[in-house]
Amino acid sequence: MTTSAIAEALRLHPGPVDLASIETDAAPGFDGKKADGQTALADLGSELSDLQERLWAERTAGSERRVLVVLQGMDTSGKGGVLRHTIGLVDPQGVRITSFKAPTDEERAHDFLWRIEKGLPPAGYIGVFDRSHYEDVLIARVRGFAEPDEIERRYGAINEFEARLVDEGVSIIKCMLHISADEQKARLAERLANPDKHWKYNPCDIDERAFWPAYREAYETALERTSTQIAPWHVVPSDKKWFRNLAVGQLLLDTLRGLDLQWPAADFDVEAETARLIGEAPVQ
Amino acid sequence: MTTSAIAEALRLHPGPVDLASIETDAAPGFDGKKADGQTALADLGSELSDLQERLWAERTAGSERRVLVVLQGMDTSGKGGVLRHTIGLVDPQGVRITSFKAPTDEERAHDFLWRIEKGLPPAGYIGVFDRSHYEDVLIARVRGFAEPDEIERRYGAINEFEARLVDEGVSIIKCMLHISADEQKARLAERLANPDKHWKYNPCDIDERAFWPAYREAYETALERTSTQIAPWHVVPSDKKWFRNLAVGQLLLDTLRGLDLQWPAADFDVEAETARLIGEAPVQ
């Protein structure tokens, strides 16, 4: 399996995680500036599209394989931007985006993984989770929506859940979009300054910033406990939007390349069908 | 409401429909060749994206408005190509594609509109139907899957259903992708000749061609009976793929322009929030 320099640089290795030591405005594994990065992302488009179509085609021959991109990050870290600029590069027919908001009463009446299971991509699809089951060990921990022993149980439940998905043919790409508190402040200020962006702003966003250190700690614990060999986390420096978009695109491309996707062989007699088409009665 | 020359040219007017008299390889309402058409489509992208984001934003302020593009056409007419090249221009977060295959046992146990209702786009979305409730008066009529009086009932049921959708805030864009039998033959031959496209080929495709005149008649009746003032049909000449993609893009743009979409006003005190952000305690 090919692994790009970007993927190597972003992949989290086993052991304690210290987010403060990971730069938010770096571009690890990439040698270039903004314009180069934008070009590099656009250049991924045609291979991504080709491989996505092969994944889609494979399912017509019975393959169960699919890809799941998990996007996590603080408010304004750019989950929407990745969807627009990176996922927007591939055919929307083969994409399934699921956004997880605060759980509904019905969802709360089930185990936390119930709604996640329902949002999984079918065979042949690239699924993207905009937030995910990780909210249940992040905001749930910071805001005390679940007891500590339940949070503790969830790390193990997540690892078992993801291991089952991998066994079922799901390739999981977990991305934590890593921004600094200062960068978030600048992005919120920009939303406030621009009337076209007021709809994106919520006064709770500032309230939530008071919990920044608690979120960082919750992320560090979640990353450490759930970055496994089969479904590792990638910490994506996201102060630079262009690098964030490029990095997720590169991770997706690496994963699709690693699947060694082939066009399915014909399940019919090509020569006989060609003769039948040529020899058909006139149609009009 | 702005209506483009393409929309004017493609819109079906009340009265009997004669598909044989509508050219399949024309580019009505557009003065240019392939390269011009491809450029014109790309040029729609930024305005489409801007208007789509406004539609999306509006829903955060309680709007129920949404758009539904209905794509119908014979096999190989290019429904997938429109999804990839035209719908692919906008943010996938705001798109909901529903493909209707042969109905399942559960779907068959309900009225034909039951599964359609479930596939409707939520507020703020651009929904696209890849095939639709029209299959229930097309293949159902040609292949006798329903009795003639049931087919007859369905035209009225469709018109009432669509009128209700329009009342609920859905803008409906109905497109019949119009190709010639010869063009279909050439496209099937291309699929047979190219191993990378074998997965798209199905021997039933040739069987179905024997019913071409019956399909034409079923389309003519369906178009005549269901092209209403509030949800007219557009017959899109589709032998030229570039024109087909451009035409659907232009119809979508006209519809979004007609909605006069505005950014929602802030529902919070902008100055107070700005002061709060500037004056917050240090976060790190």
Side-chain angles (χ1 to χ4, degrees):
Chain A
M1 175 167 169
T2 328
T3 305
S4 62
I6 289 177
E8 282 294 346
L10 304 188
R11 184 177 175 142
L12 208 56
H13 294 286
V17 177
D18 174 20
L19 283 173
S21 74
I22 304 178
E23 283 184 272
T24 54
D25 66 348
F30 185 71
D31 185 21
K33 301 219 178 290
K34 181 175 178 178
D36 309 309
Q38 288 172 328
T39 303
L41 176 62
D43 288 349
L44 301 183
S46 73
E47 189 179 350
L48 277 177
S49 287
D50 175 72
L51 294 176
Q52 180 205 22
E53 191 172 7
R54 289 172 190 241
L55 179 67
W56 183 256
E58 212 190 53
R59 94 195 222 284
T60 63
S63 168
E64 290 288 328
R65 297 202 289 182
R66 67 206 70 181
V67 173
L68 175 62
V69 180
V70 174
L71 299 178
Q72 280 292 154
M74 299 296 281
D75 285 334
T76 78
S77 63
K79 299 177 289 289
V82 168
L83 286 164
R84 176 181 288 239
H85 297 288
T86 303
I87 303 304
L89 290 173
V90 302
D91 190 335
Q93 286 176 95
V95 171
R96 178 71 61 94
I97 297 169
T98 310
S99 294
F100 294 97
K101 311 284 182 194
T104 63
D105 286 345
E106 187 189 17
E107 288 168 349
R108 248 186 282 264
H110 291 272
D111 180 66
F112 76 106
L113 292 171
W114 180 75
R115 66 174 186 160
I116 306 300
E117 189 88 44
K118 293 206 304 175
L120 290 171
Y125 279 81
I126 296 172
V128 188
F129 281 176
D130 172 3
R131 303 189 185 273
S132 67
H133 42 303
Y134 286 97
E135 292 296 317
D136 299 291
V137 292
L138 294 167
I139 191 171
R141 176 179 163 130
V142 171
R143 296 306 210 111
F145 296 156
E147 296 298 323
D149 59 345
E150 167 62 9
I151 299 286
E152 190 57 34
R153 181 190 76 82
R154 289 179 183 176
Y155 300 120
I158 287 172
N159 288 337
E160 284 170 25
F161 173 67
E162 292 182 356
R164 173 165 68 75
L165 295 187
V166 170
D167 282 344
E168 290 170 0
V170 183
S171 298
I172 306 175
I173 306 169
K174 300 193 291 198
C175 303
M176 188 269 187
L177 307 185
H178 185 39
I179 57 170
S180 68
D182 283 349
E183 178 66 20
Q184 187 190 57
K185 186 171 188 170
R187 292 182 185 184
L188 291 175
E190 193 191 335
R191 290 182 182 180
L192 283 167
N194 185 347
D196 294 1
K197 295 191 173 179
H198 283 165
W199 67 277
K200 291 188 177 185
Y201 180 84
N202 186 325
C204 300
D205 295 346
I206 297 186
D207 303 333
E208 214 63 19
R209 280 173 60 77
F211 297 94
W212 190 277
Y215 273 108
R216 184 170 56 210
E217 194 198 336
Y219 264 105
E220 287 174 344
T221 304
L223 295 172
E224 181 182 336
R225 298 289 298 277
T226 64
S227 198
T228 56
Q229 185 67 31
I230 53 160
W233 273 102
H234 299 84
V235 178
V236 180
S238 296
D239 285 0
K240 289 180 168 61
K241 295 176 181 175
W242 65 264
F243 178 74
R244 172 200 73 200
N245 296 339
L246 171 63
V248 178
Q250 187 66 57
L251 290 170
L252 179 58
L253 183 59
D254 284 6
T255 299
L256 290 169
R257 281 178 177 164
L259 293 177
D260 189 27
L261 295 156
Q262 304 299 327
W263 296 110
D267 58 358
F268 53 85
D269 182 332
V270 178
E271 278 186 42
E273 287 297 315
T274 305
R276 198 156 76 95
L277 183 65
I278 293 168
E280 69 169 4
V283 171
Q284 56 182 328
Chain B
M1 175 170 169
T2 327
T3 304
S4 62
I6 289 177
E8 281 294 345
L10 303 187
R11 184 177 174 142
L12 209 55
H13 294 286
V17 177
D18 175 21
L19 284 173
S21 73
I22 303 178
E23 284 185 90
T24 54
D25 66 347
F30 184 72
D31 185 22
K33 300 219 180 290
K34 181 175 178 177
D36 309 308
Q38 289 172 328
T39 303
L41 176 62
D43 287 348
L44 300 184
S46 73
E47 191 179 349
L48 277 176
S49 287
D50 176 71
L51 293 176
Q52 180 205 22
E53 192 173 7
R54 289 171 188 242
L55 180 67
W56 183 256
E58 214 190 51
R59 91 194 224 286
T60 63
S63 167
E64 289 288 328
R65 298 202 290 182
R66 66 207 70 182
V67 173
L68 175 63
V69 180
V70 174
L71 299 177
Q72 280 290 154
M74 299 295 283
D75 285 334
T76 78
S77 62
K79 299 177 288 291
V82 168
L83 286 164
R84 176 181 289 240
H85 298 287
T86 304
I87 303 303
L89 291 173
V90 302
D91 189 335
Q93 284 176 97
V95 170
R96 178 71 60 92
I97 297 169
T98 312
S99 294
F100 293 97
K101 311 284 183 195
T104 63
D105 286 344
E106 188 190 18
E107 288 168 348
R108 249 187 281 267
H110 291 272
D111 181 65
F112 76 106
L113 291 171
W114 181 75
R115 66 175 185 159
I116 307 300
E117 190 88 45
K118 292 206 303 174
L120 289 172
Y125 278 82
I126 296 172
V128 188
F129 281 178
D130 172 3
R131 302 185 186 274
S132 67
H133 42 304
Y134 286 98
E135 291 296 316
D136 298 292
V137 292
L138 293 167
I139 191 172
R141 176 181 163 127
V142 171
R143 295 308 208 111
F145 296 156
E147 295 299 322
D149 58 346
E150 166 62 8
I151 299 286
E152 190 58 33
R153 181 191 75 81
R154 290 179 182 175
Y155 299 120
I158 287 171
N159 288 338
E160 284 169 25
F161 172 68
E162 293 182 356
R164 174 166 66 77
L165 296 187
V166 170
D167 282 345
E168 290 171 358
V170 183
S171 297
I172 306 175
I173 306 170
K174 300 193 291 198
C175 303
M176 188 269 184
L177 307 185
H178 184 39
I179 57 168
S180 69
D182 283 350
E183 179 66 20
Q184 187 190 57
K185 186 171 187 168
R187 292 181 185 184
L188 291 175
E190 194 191 334
R191 288 182 182 180
L192 284 167
N194 184 348
D196 294 1
K197 295 191 173 180
H198 284 166
W199 67 277
K200 290 188 177 187
Y201 181 84
N202 186 325
C204 299
D205 295 346
I206 297 187
D207 303 334
E208 213 64 19
R209 280 173 59 77
F211 296 94
W212 190 275
Y215 273 108
R216 185 170 54 210
E217 196 199 335
Y219 264 105
E220 288 173 343
T221 304
L223 295 173
E224 183 183 335
R225 299 289 298 275
T226 64
S227 198
T228 56
Q229 186 66 31
I230 53 159
W233 273 101
H234 299 84
V235 178
V236 180
S238 296
D239 285 0
K240 290 180 167 61
K241 295 175 182 176
W242 65 264
F243 178 73
R244 173 200 73 201
N245 297 340
L246 172 62
V248 177
Q250 186 66 58
L251 290 169
L252 179 58
L253 182 59
D254 284 6
T255 299
L256 290 169
R257 281 178 177 166
L259 294 177
D260 189 26
L261 295 156
Q262 304 300 327
W263 296 110
D267 57 357
F268 52 85
D269 181 333
V270 178
E271 278 185 44
E273 288 297 314
T274 305
R276 199 156 75 96
L277 183 64
I278 293 169
E280 68 170 7
V283 170
Q284 58 180 321

